[in-house]
Amino acid sequence: MSAVLVIEDDDRIRLSLVLALEDEGYAVSGAATAEEGLASQRSRPADTVLVDLMLPGIDGFECIRQLRRSDDVPIVVISARDDTSDIVAALEAGADDYLVKPVAVQELTARLRALRRRARTVGEDAVPALRFGDLEVLPEAGEVRLHGTPVPVTRTEFQLLCELAEHPGRVLSRQQLLQRVWQYDGGDERLVDVHIGRLRQKIEDASGAPRHLVTVRGLGYKLQR
Amino acid sequence: MRRAGLRVRVIAGFAAGALALSALMALVSYQITRRSLLAEREGTAVRAAYYDVSVVQSGIASAPAPDLSEVLRSLDTGESRRAVLQRDGTWYSSKADTGFRDAITTALQQRAAGGGAVVQRVRANGVPALVVALPLADGSVFYEVDSLQELQHTLGVLTLVLTLVALGTAAIGALLGWYATGYVLRPLTRVADAAEGIAAGRSDARLDPAGEPELARLSTSFNHMVNELSARNERDRRFAADVSHELRSPLQTLAAAVSVLDRRRDRMDERSATAAGLVSDEVTRFQGLVNDLLELARSDRPAERGPVDVAELARQVCRERRTSEDIVAVTGPAATWLVDRRRVGQLLGNLLDNAEAYGGGATAIRLSLDEQDRGTLEVDDQGPGVSPDDKPVIFDRFVRGRSAGARANGDGTGLGLALVARHAAAHGGTATVLDRPGGGARFRIELAGCRP
């Protein structure tokens, strides 16, 4: 049974989400504050974390950053805020997906399944090491190396990199990446852009002038030597 | 139209004023010149007549029976003057033509016979002439008829010149009027430009109150009005957005709680299950309404354009609604447009939902890009079509088709087509509804600047 942690200060929303997700077969625990959620994740790590942005004390953005510091657990933001600045900031802090309230339970479980599927594929793929000059992608080991040194990436980032690495030099559109990595048919392209940005900070010597992970204007992204 | 009228009136006024003034000046100049030329001519004619009469008198005295015609012919009268002598009831003339003699009227003869010199203007042979009558000592009268044709010609030239000058002055007046109105109307043109800018959605359009001192009050009150308007708009928009926002959290609870209820519907008694079903449906509709309201509140933001494969987007929208992707047809080569992906996706989705609710489902989606970089999306259905009454209001908020209202079952938010129109407008485009040939409705959306 997959474990989900819900960090949400509104008691009614938290309770309803716990009930609904339990119905869907998840083992759900709730936390009313970021502090409580972080402690819970340290003692009993969940497989996925749902987090609200407006939290008392430590806010959602900081909560995501602290979770990311120690963990590559999939993080999904559920917020009433839908401004681009909030979405980008939450994704940059390390969230894997962003949902705007109200989210239908069906949609939420579809997202959770997509994240789980992504998490499981890591390590199962039998593709050998893919080399892009000083960058190495090892799908089997679930590892990325730059100059021979392992680079810590989240599961979503790793999946994104694998999709691009498996098609060396070929341009994949944002929509194709959304489909393959997030299982979105027509999702928010900012999701791809921010994740690409996060990846560049990890695998590029100068993220402002990327050598490996390049943007092809009007088309999408490609990975090259 | 009114501005042009004002301008035409001012120009006409300037021209008429200039014409009246210059015509008056011309008339006065003409009269003065004419009078002085005539006086001068009269003086000359009288002096010449006195000289000639002295020659005639000495001619008469030199011989006992002189040939008077010969004497008169000996006078140096030039082309313009004719000398005539009346002696004992007989007329003697320097030249054979009698026309000049006719100019010497009976009244003139009587006055001359009365003694003393007489000067009179007459018409001779159809041209103005001057007659100088000088009675001689022996009772005969010497007449000299002086043609004023040359003077008349001079005055004719003067009239022409003065008329041309008057007309030229009127034209200059009109030009001055045109320039002056242009100058005066320039601030008003700026006001008009600013008003048009605001109407076109540039809410930052303002007038510079320091620009024209005379128009400072207009500028200030105009700016004040615009500020008030945009503040009110902003308040309304923020209110709608805030309310919708606040509704999102309770809706999240409802959405999750309803799914728990839904799962247990078959375990409830019939009445509870029906009630739970109603709650579930309404929560879904409520969610749609809140999302559409929020979308509407920010729909006047500019479109975030990027290259989008609209054919693929249309197919994806069809997939989401479980409609066949085969209805998507692209005319022409390019299906990649420079548009706001999210908004065009929503636009297409709303049109498909509308076709589903009122037209029995969409039967065709056509995409084309023309030479003016305008992208056209058409969504057809084979329903009853849109009645002429509904056509002008169908893109307004909360308008649901009257003819099809009974079929719609109230599933929609009433905002779908309003959002379609707003999304089209955000792309500098339009949304229209037409009759599909063969029955049904055809929604046509035109988006500007779509070529990537």
Side-chain angles (χ1 to χ4, degrees), chain A residues 152-186:
Chain A
V153 291
T154 69
R155 297 181 202 190
T156 306
E157 288 161 1
F158 185 72
Q159 192 68 27
L160 182 59
L161 200 55
C162 283
E163 286 297 338
L164 288 162
E166 281 161 12
H167 306 95
R170 219 187 94 191
V171 181
L172 293 180
S173 73
R174 290 173 175 82
Q175 288 296 322
Q176 281 173 320
L177 290 168
L178 275 171
Q179 171 66 47
R180 291 174 188 195
V181 180
W182 281 268
Q183 266 95 49
Y184 266 120
D185 192 5

Side-chain angles (χ1 to χ4, degrees), chain A residues 10 12-13 16-17 19-20 23-24 78 80-84 100-105 175 185-187 189 218, chain B residues 245 248-253 255-257 259-260 263-264 287 291 294 298 301 304 307 312 316 319-320 341:
Chain A
D10 186 316
R12 294 191 192 91
I13 294 176
S16 66
L17 281 176
L19 288 175
D23 268 5
E24 300 291 332
I78 303 186
R81 286 151 67 155
D82 61 353
D83 292 338
T84 295
V100 178
K101 287 176 187 170
V103 190
V105 174
Q175 288 296 322
D185 192 5
E189 295 184 348
Chain B
H245 232 98
R248 283 185 159 180
S249 294
L251 266 175
Q252 179 63 71
T253 308
S259 87
V260 175
R263 274 192 164 264
R264 289 162 179 77
Q287 283 180 22
N291 284 334
L294 279 167
R298 60 184 174 194
R301 290 186 197 167
E304 293 172 24
E312 180 48 40
Q316 174 199 309
R319 282 198 295 276
E320 280 168 14
R341 179 185 186 90

Side-chain angles (χ1 to χ4, degrees), chain B residues 10-23:
Chain B
V10 170
I11 291 172
F14 266 76
L19 186 64
L21 204 64
S22 55

Side-chain angles (χ1 to χ4, degrees), chain B residues 6-317:
Chain B
L6 175 64
R7 184 158 212 190
V8 165
R9 284 206 300 279
V10 170
I11 291 172
F14 266 76
L19 186 64
L21 204 64
S22 55
L24 184 72
M25 294 294 284
L27 207 64
V28 169
S29 325
Y30 178 79
Q31 288 300 336
I32 291 172
T33 312
R34 183 169 169 271
R35 228 173 265 181
S36 99
L37 282 177
L38 268 177
E40 198 183 322
R41 195 77 173 74
E42 255 179 49
T44 314
V46 169
R47 273 196 305 281
Y50 273 111
Y51 175 75
D52 287 347
V53 88
S54 68
V55 173
V56 170
Q57 265 175 329
S58 61
I60 291 170
S62 68
D67 181 352
L68 290 172
S69 294
E70 193 55 40
V71 170
L72 290 173
R73 264 196 291 276
S74 71
L75 294 173
D76 178 22
T77 54
E79 273 298 303
S80 68
R81 280 183 293 143
R82 299 285 185 277
V84 179
L85 189 69
Q86 190 195 26
R87 194 176 194 199
D88 305 329
T90 311
W91 293 91
Y92 301 90
S93 175
S94 63
K95 298 219 167 92
D97 54 18
T98 55
F100 287 100
R101 222 177 56 210
D102 296 342
I104 302 162
T105 58
T106 323
L108 181 64
Q109 288 170 34
Q110 282 165 359
R111 278 180 66 196
V118 177
V119 180
Q120 193 172 49
R121 273 208 303 279
V122 295
R123 286 194 83 79
N125 282 351
V127 295
L130 204 62
V131 180
V132 182
L134 294 173
L136 302 181
D138 60 358
S140 57
V141 182
F142 178 78
Y143 296 96
E144 207 162 74
V145 182
D146 201 344
S147 167
L148 293 178
Q149 196 161 22
E150 212 176 301
L151 180 68
Q152 196 192 28
H153 179 72
T154 308
L155 288 175
V157 170
L158 181 68
T159 308
L160 183 70
V161 168
L162 285 175
T163 307
L164 288 179
V165 167
L167 288 176
T169 313
I172 290 171
L175 208 67
L176 204 68
W178 178 76
Y179 175 76
T181 46
Y183 187 76
V184 169
L185 289 177
R186 209 174 300 153
L188 289 183
T189 312
R190 272 201 287 274
V191 176
D193 286 348
E196 275 165 18
I198 288 158
R202 291 199 305 277
S203 54
D204 58 338
R206 296 287 186 281
L207 292 174
D208 180 9
E212 307 287 339
E214 292 83 2
L215 291 172
R217 203 173 138 215
L218 174 64
S219 306
T220 312
S221 51
F222 180 88
N223 289 347
H224 182 66
M225 177 192 77
V226 173
N227 287 337
E228 281 292 304
L229 269 180
S230 58
R232 188 177 303 169
N233 275 347
E234 183 56 33
R235 271 199 303 277
D236 288 353
R237 191 166 44 229
R238 206 174 299 156
F239 177 74
D242 287 351
V243 167
S244 309
H245 232 98
E246 287 305 313
L247 289 172
R248 283 185 159 180
S249 294
L251 266 175
Q252 179 63 71
T253 308
L254 285 173
V258 155
S259 87
V260 175
L261 281 181
D262 267 345
R263 274 192 164 264
R264 289 162 179 77
R265 282 259 279 279
D266 43 354
R267 268 179 270 163
M268 295 176 189
D269 63 78
E270 199 182 320
R271 292 177 70 84
S272 309
T274 307
L278 286 175
V279 171
S280 173
D281 289 350
E282 288 301 80
V283 165
T284 307
R285 183 149 77 114
F286 201 5
Q287 283 180 22
L289 185 60
V290 165
N291 284 334
D292 282 357
L293 275 173
L294 279 167
E295 192 65 53
L296 206 62
R298 60 184 174 194
S299 62
D300 49 1
R301 290 186 197 167
E304 293 172 24
R305 294 185 190 244
V308 176
D309 182 344
V310 278
E312 180 48 40
L313 178 62
R315 282 191 279 270
Q316 174 199 309
V317 172

Side-chain angles (χ1 to χ4, degrees), chain B residues 248-403:
Chain B
R248 283 185 159 180
S249 294
L251 266 175
Q252 179 63 71
T253 308
L254 285 173
V258 155
S259 87
V260 175
L261 281 181
D262 267 345
R263 274 192 164 264
R264 289 162 179 77
R265 282 259 279 279
D266 43 354
R267 268 179 270 163
M268 295 176 189
D269 63 78
E270 199 182 320
R271 292 177 70 84
S272 309
T274 307
L278 286 175
V279 171
S280 173
D281 289 350
E282 288 301 80
V283 165
T284 307
R285 183 149 77 114
F286 201 5
Q287 283 180 22
L289 185 60
V290 165
N291 284 334
D292 282 357
L293 275 173
L294 279 167
E295 192 65 53
L296 206 62
R298 60 184 174 194
S299 62
D300 49 1
R301 290 186 197 167
E304 293 172 24
R305 294 185 190 244
V308 176
D309 182 344
V310 278
E312 180 48 40
L313 178 62
R315 282 191 279 270
Q316 174 199 309
V317 172
C318 288
R319 282 198 295 276
E320 280 168 14
R321 282 160 180 77
R322 295 185 168 69
T323 304
S324 167
E325 297 176 28
D326 302 337
I327 64 169
V328 178
V330 181
T331 318
T336 298
W337 298 2
L338 203 60
V339 291
D340 188 322
R341 179 185 186 90
R342 188 185 61 80
R343 295 176 81 160
V344 172
Q346 194 176 46
L347 182 155
L348 277 168
N350 289 0
L351 287 177
L352 285 186
D353 289 345
N354 183 73
E356 187 65 45
Y358 298 100
T363 55
I365 300 177
R366 273 183 302 278
L367 309 166
S368 60
L369 189 61
D370 69 10
E371 293 304 310
Q372 282 82 46
D373 301 350
R374 190 172 48 220
T376 304
L377 303 153
E378 283 183 346
V379 176
D380 285 2
D381 66 50
Q382 288 179 355
V386 179
S387 75
D389 287 348
D390 287 338
K391 273 183 186 153
V393 294
I394 196 160
F395 292 104
D396 291 352
R397 281 173 283 181
F398 300 117
V399 170
R400 292 187 180 85
R402 268 161 274 187
S403 51

Side-chain angles (χ1 to χ4, degrees), chain A residues 72-116:
Chain A
D72 66 352
V73 62
I75 301 171
V76 180
V77 173
I78 303 186
S79 172
R81 286 151 67 155
D82 61 353
D83 292 338
T84 295
S85 57
D86 289 325
I87 296 175
V88 169
L91 292 173
E92 279 176 346
D96 294 280
D97 206 344
Y98 193 108
L99 302 173
V100 178
K101 287 176 187 170
V103 190
V105 174
Q106 271 184 321
E107 170 68 9
L108 180 57
T109 52
R111 305 309 340 140
L112 291 178
R113 274 199 303 277
L115 285 170
R116 288 295 303 157

